[in-house]
Amino acid sequence: MNTKDYIALEEQYGAHNYHPLDVVIDRAEGVYMWDVDGKKYLDCLAAYSAVNQGHCHPRIIGALKEQASKVTLTSRAFRNDQLPLLAKELCEMTGYAMMLPMNSGAEAVETALKAARKWGHKVKGISEDKGTILTCTNNFSGRTISIVSFSTEEQYKDGFGPFTPGFQNVEYGDIESLKAAINEDTIAFLIEPIQGEAGIIIPPDGYLKEAFELCKKHNVLFIADEIQSGLGRSGKLFAFEYDNIRPDVVIIGKALSGGCYPVSAVLSDREVLGVFNPGDHGSTFGGNPLGAAVARESLKVLVEEKLIENSFELGNYFRAQLNEIPSKHVKLIRGKGLFIGVELHEEAGGARRFCEALAERGILCKETHTHVIRFAPPLVIKKEQIDEALVKIKEVLLMP
Ligand SMILES: *Cc1c(COP(=O)(O)O)cnc(C)c1O
């Protein structure tokens, strides 16, 4: 079978809810991937930041294999010997008192929303028929019905109603908009400290701190969705660290398992996560020993291999070099760490043709929001590999 055969099968038997680049990968290691024809690519997407530790990291695969041969799933009806250690290590690393494990990012977001609502009703004292969670324009927090209920992306909602009430959008990055919306019935404010899917959007300096303080003043929970921006992607463990704040709730996923296995979690303190009683919420696979063992090793790799520092330093280098390319197509380059968006002018005709030209040259990345090319390679990338990518990126950005 070749590339065309695989694509034909997927198109025939798989639902068409994605529009992938036409490369069929069958092997990957570190920052590189190979397609079924043996062509080598440098991965500049890192599975939307799920493989921050690099593809098939030997330590993480080792932990996966070892745990897989012992016990994989107990369900939470019984306890296992990996979840307690993951919980302790994650809380010690992040400075939160408790964690709640789930699988996908969307499930962790749902969990945070449920925790916040329960806190709003049981602790803050908002009556059950009231209570609003404020969210941001151009948010992306997953694809469940409740989460798309607060999306501002028409396509994410089209045909999926009726929607979950209790959410209200404020303008991302605009403190006045948040001020105008916040009142005694506000339970929480959910925000991505850097909006990934919206095109690597960074709010104005000082905004997150002001928003956080406003929430504190009104006894509103500040919830940071760090599923994509977190765990080193932005050059810090969490992107909110740039603003010296400590959110009440932090949601993580993606790189929590080094891309090996779906593991997500909600981090918070006792006042919030303590609202859950046995039977209130759960997941068959959440907190399973295989996922927990993989997550423990993924976190150790992140710290011991200094991937967060590497992201910070090489992110600065990568952006500086991109800024040197005299391309008429580039409107703006932005990012923190190795979380980089290259926004193109409308006249460039969309980012996809640039991504396709890059793929031909062995660099894999994906357009986001039509006009932005996202560069977010695995954080194990080396300077020489960035230089190798830059040669190709330059060629492509200088196309007519
Ligand atoms: C990817 C992502 C999610 C959803 O995670 P899934 O694992 O795809 O459900 C939520 N929030 C942000 C910021 C994300 O980037």
Side-chain angles (χ1 to χ4, degrees), residues 104-107 109 140-142 192 197 225 227-228 254:
S104 70
E107 282 176 307
V109 173
F140 182 83
S141 278
E192 297 156 81
E197 290 319 292
D225 180 348
I227 292 171
Q228 191 165 160
K254 292 198 167 109

Side-chain angles (χ1 to χ4, degrees), residues 105-125:
E107 282 176 307
V109 173
E110 287 273 347
T111 301
L113 297 174
K114 285 175 81 174
R117 279 188 169 189
K118 193 144 183 157
W119 173 89
H121 301 311
K122 306 286 180 186
V123 180
K124 185 168 177 178

Side-chain angles (χ1 to χ4, degrees), residues 301-315:
V301 166
L302 204 63
V303 173
E304 288 168 21
E305 297 192 0
K306 301 209 180 321
L307 300 184
I308 303 168
E309 294 85 343
N310 196 53
S311 173
F312 186 87
E313 280 158 30
L314 290 187

